Amino acid sequence: MNDTLEEAARIIAGSKNLIAFTGSGISAESGIPTFRGKDGLWNKYNPAELATFEAFINNPKVVWEWYSWRINLVLNAKPNLAHEAIARLENAGILKVVITQNVDDLHERAGTKNLIKLHGDILIARCISCNYKERLSESPRNIPPRCPVCGGLLRPDVVWFGEPLPTKELKAATEAARKADVILVVGTSGVVYPACLIPFVVKNAGGKVIEVNISESAITEIADVFFKGPASRVLSALVSRVNELLKK
Ligand code: OAD
């Protein structure tokens, strides 16, 4: 890992426009399950029954029960060393923006400021009739929760299968990727469109791709540097070395 670490640290320290792209693997060590793989959520649950608008309209109670469980997981989780390392890179002025597919708030709680959330936010409930939004500090007491303004159904403000990504966020992420000279990709299988195209936009524009994952992903084939290992360990070591290089 030492040669790889040195190479990646030098690329990052020399970058002018570094961005990061994260997936559920970065939150795995905080106890939030990923979607794919042996212990992944989509191995135990059927996304068609829990993560589509149709499923929600047919059975809002079941969908909200599942989301309440996940909301509690997020509220009880803490950012890990990987989220903290990413925030340190931003603090050092070298990382310009973090684009995440995650709906948890662990990047924010670790201190990341410039964050684009492509798949929404599990801690926001949104009215399907009047678009009223509220931030949840606990899972809803009455399920399914109702809008205090118009009485409509509230839904989790996340992107479900078959739904478009939020326009403003997708545009901002694509523009950031076009301008980036390096992208740090952490803990994503890279198979969910269109978010997974972000590293390819960077690569096609001539940028470098550094990937951290416990196993190979759909992005590994375009990675200039691939670290096989848990995000917390790899990113702590990588960011410490980048900070040393920046001080020289
Ligand atoms: P996946 O579950 O598809 O992939 C998680 C990735 O994290 C895998 O490649 C794992 O190998 C890797 N991983 C697991 N633990 C890790 C660790 N400790 N350190 C580093 N890597 C680790 O999750 P995503 O790629 O985030 O969409 O999934 C993308 C989207 O699919 C999600 O945003 C969600 C889901 O359906 C929506 O909700 C719209």
Side-chain angles (χ1 to χ4, degrees), residues 23-25 29 35-36 42 101 119 159 187-189 192 213 215 231:
S24 62
E29 292 169 81
F35 294 93
R36 295 169 187 82
W42 297 153
Q101 299 164 90
H119 288 166
V159 176
T188 179
S189 57
V192 174
N213 200 310
S215 56

Side-chain angles (χ1 to χ4, degrees), residues 22-26 28-29 34-37 40 42 51 67 70 101-103 119 158-161 165 186-192 211-217 229-232:
T22 66
S24 62
I26 196 169
E29 292 169 81
T34 62
F35 294 93
R36 295 169 187 82
W42 297 153
Y67 273 90
R70 289 181 58 209
Q101 299 164 90
N102 297 347
V103 295
H119 288 166
V158 298
V159 176
W160 280 328
F161 286 99
L165 269 54
V186 186
T188 179
S189 57
V191 296
V192 174
E211 186 184 21
V212 181
N213 200 310
I214 51 167
S215 56
E216 292 196 0
S217 75
S232 61

Side-chain angles (χ1 to χ4, degrees), residues 1-7 227-229 233-238:
M1 147 141 165
N2 278 351
D3 286 354
T4 318
L5 184 114
E6 194 57 26
E7 188 190 352
F227 285 99
K228 189 170 184 170
R233 177 168 58 78
V234 174
L235 286 181
S236 302
L238 180 63

Side-chain angles (χ1 to χ4, degrees), residues 45-94:
Y45 303 97
N46 182 353
E49 288 166 12
L50 295 167
T52 64
F53 187 70
E54 200 188 355
F56 177 70
I57 290 301
N58 287 340
N59 209 336
K61 190 165 174 285
V62 165
V63 170
W64 263 111
E65 273 163 2
W66 191 65
Y67 273 90
S68 294
W69 168 67
R70 289 181 58 209
I71 286 166
N72 283 330
L73 280 179
V74 170
L75 289 172
N76 291 317
K78 290 194 180 64
N80 64 54
L81 291 174
H83 300 100
E84 285 165 11
I86 297 260
R88 278 199 283 146
L89 273 182
E90 187 187 40
N91 255 333
I94 191 112

